[in-house]
Amino acid sequence: MADQRPLILVTNDDGILSPGLRVLAEAARQLGEALVVAPDREMSAVSHAITLHRPIRILETTEGHALTGTPVDCAYMGIHHIAPRRPDLVVSGVNLGPNLGSDVLYSGTVAAAREGTIQGLPSIAFSLASRDREPLAKLAPALATLMRAVLTNGLPPGITLNVNFPRVTADPPEFRATRLGRRAYSAEVVRRLDPRGQEYLWIGGGMPELEDTPETDTAAIRSGAVSVTPIPLFAVRDEDLRHLAAWSLFGPNGN
Ligand code: MN
């Protein structure tokens, strides 16, 4: 209803106790009513996992509703079960660490926002390209600006906004509309022994290199701008369908 303040569903993948969640909820409260529904523990890099084969429980905490589930469970339950009315906006984060380029495929932060998009709601994922928590304290104005912009302008159907903040966000912030860039991961697998002498493996090593192609999210972060990327849910391109059409597999009239 037009006379109601916007209802903003706030979730994340770092868990209900994350300082990034608290900052985002506080920024949301500047614009409307914040409904916090987040995993009861760290759930980073679970991508778009949804819980279908075990029970989900809700714990009421001072931070909000804590679910024994994934970030996507939180968005889904928040929208369809916990919210007193249909939310006006879904926001996820602020993740402690970047979600740039192919990170968005692994990210629980981005997946929770994408679930909002699937459910037909404008949705934004927020990440801080720093492991340092200190910059979080200064993000509230920029978070509110971006949420207000989406509430005012809406988003095209099927588009999730993926926002990354640099380590230092200028005042006023420089917002840059970007494409997904590439991050060059080391392809490293670390092999170690646990205290009982059993081998274990750990994926990944150091921080990945950022691609510097203009217009990319990675380049924006490198130059200290706030990266704002409109990510489509599905992107099947005409040129790829034409490529498949040429395969004998599909026959002379195949498409
Ligand atoms: Mn995370």
Side-chain angles (χ1 to χ4, degrees):
M1 276 177 279
D3 58 349
Q4 271 180 323
R5 301 185 76 208
L7 176 61
I8 303 174
L9 176 62
V10 183
T11 189
N12 75 349
D13 78 353
D14 291 338
I16 191 82
L17 294 177
S18 171
L21 182 74
R22 182 175 291 182
V23 165
L24 184 53
E26 282 168 7
R29 285 186 197 104
Q30 294 178 22
L31 307 177
E33 190 183 335
L35 175 69
V36 176
V37 183
D40 68 345
R41 66 199 71 187
E42 163 93 36
M43 276 280 170
S44 292
V46 301
S47 189
H48 213 101
I50 189 165
T51 303
L52 300 179
H53 301 290
R54 58 177 179 80
I56 298 171
R57 299 187 195 279
I58 304 176
L59 295 80
E60 304 304 337
T61 76
T62 52
E63 302 294 329
H65 307 270
L67 261 64
T68 60
T70 66
V72 164
D73 293 336
C74 291
Y76 187 95
M77 291 284 185
I79 294 165
H80 294 300
H81 179 69
I82 300 172
R85 60 181 192 274
R86 192 161 161 81
D88 300 283
L89 179 66
V90 176
V91 293
S92 179
V94 175
N95 190 63
L96 295 177
N99 278 307
L100 300 164
S102 57
D103 295 345
V104 303
L105 297 175
Y106 303 97
S107 167
T109 304
V110 177
R114 192 166 54 218
E115 184 61 27
T117 306
I118 290 171
Q119 301 303 329
L121 296 171
S123 303
I124 319 171
F126 293 106
S127 303
L128 173 63
S130 162
R131 297 284 166 192
D132 182 7
R133 298 174 173 200
E134 193 254 336
L136 276 178
K138 295 178 179 165
L139 289 186
L143 290 166
T145 298
L146 285 158
M147 285 189 275
R148 192 178 291 113
V150 170
L151 283 168
T152 303
N153 301 299
L155 286 171
I159 293 296
T160 308
L161 221 53
N162 186 47
V163 175
N164 280 270
F165 294 99
R167 194 180 301 269
V168 178
T169 295
D171 183 19
E174 181 199 346
F175 296 106
R176 202 178 290 179
T178 57
R179 303 171 189 279
L180 292 178
R182 283 202 175 76
R183 306 187 75 193
Y185 285 91
S186 61
E188 190 177 350
V189 176
V190 176
R191 177 189 173 277
R192 298 228 173 111
L193 296 181
D194 72 20
R196 292 177 187 156
Q198 296 295 308
E199 177 187 281
Y200 69 87
L201 304 173
W202 201 276
I203 293 176
M207 285 300 287
E209 292 292 311
L210 301 185
E211 183 193 52
D212 250 351
T213 309
E215 296 188 6
T216 56
D217 53 0
T218 43
I221 287 302
R222 188 170 258 187
S223 62
V226 179
S227 169
V228 183
T229 310
I231 301 178
L233 276 180
F234 307 109
V236 179
R237 303 180 301 176
D238 290 345
E239 64 211 78
D240 300 325
L241 287 171
R242 284 196 297 274
H243 178 81
L244 284 195
W247 296 11
S248 60
L249 179 68
F250 301 103
N253 302 315
N255 58 18

